[in-house]
Amino acid sequence: MSRTVTAPSTTTAFYAQSGIAFAVALAAVTLGIWNLPVGAWERAFLAIGTLFLVTATFTLAKCVRDAQETSQVVHRLDQARVDKILAEHDPFNAPV
């Protein structure tokens, strides 16, 4: 009763698409902030806010990924325990 757990694989094209989308979005926001008809303090505030948003997004993505990996390991351990119990169980052995 052995199960093979396959890890989800991400293609190179997906990595490229994600990287390009991130670069285009960051460039668009940066260009938009640069061209705003406001003073230097307002631009600096928006730039710092954008930088904070980007770092918070990376941190959130890492936390979600770590939680997903942890749940997969726990699920595999639980499944291994169940498989061991089932392998050791003898239905014809009468309790004494």
Side-chain angles (χ1 to χ4, degrees):
M1 197 178 247
S2 169
R3 287 189 191 172
T4 303
V5 178
T6 59
S9 62
T10 304
T11 63
T12 306
F14 182 76
Y15 277 125
Q17 177 192 3
S18 299
I20 291 168
F22 175 75
V24 168
L26 189 60
V29 170
T30 303
L31 185 66
I33 290 173
W34 183 262
N35 289 323
L36 279 175
V38 295
W41 282 104
E42 290 86 357
R43 278 196 193 108
F45 176 77
L46 291 173
I48 294 297
T50 301
L51 181 64
F52 180 63
L53 179 64
V54 168
T55 58
T57 302
F58 279 115
T59 304
L60 177 62
K62 182 188 177 307
C63 290
V64 169
R65 182 202 63 201
D66 291 349
Q68 177 67 24
E69 287 176 353
T70 302
S71 70
Q72 287 177 349
V73 170
V74 169
H75 177 70
R76 285 187 294 195
L77 288 174
D78 289 342
Q79 186 61 42
R81 287 184 186 122
V82 169
D83 288 345
K84 181 181 177 199
I85 290 170
L86 289 175
E88 293 174 350
H89 177 67
D90 184 7
F92 300 109
N93 185 12
V96 178

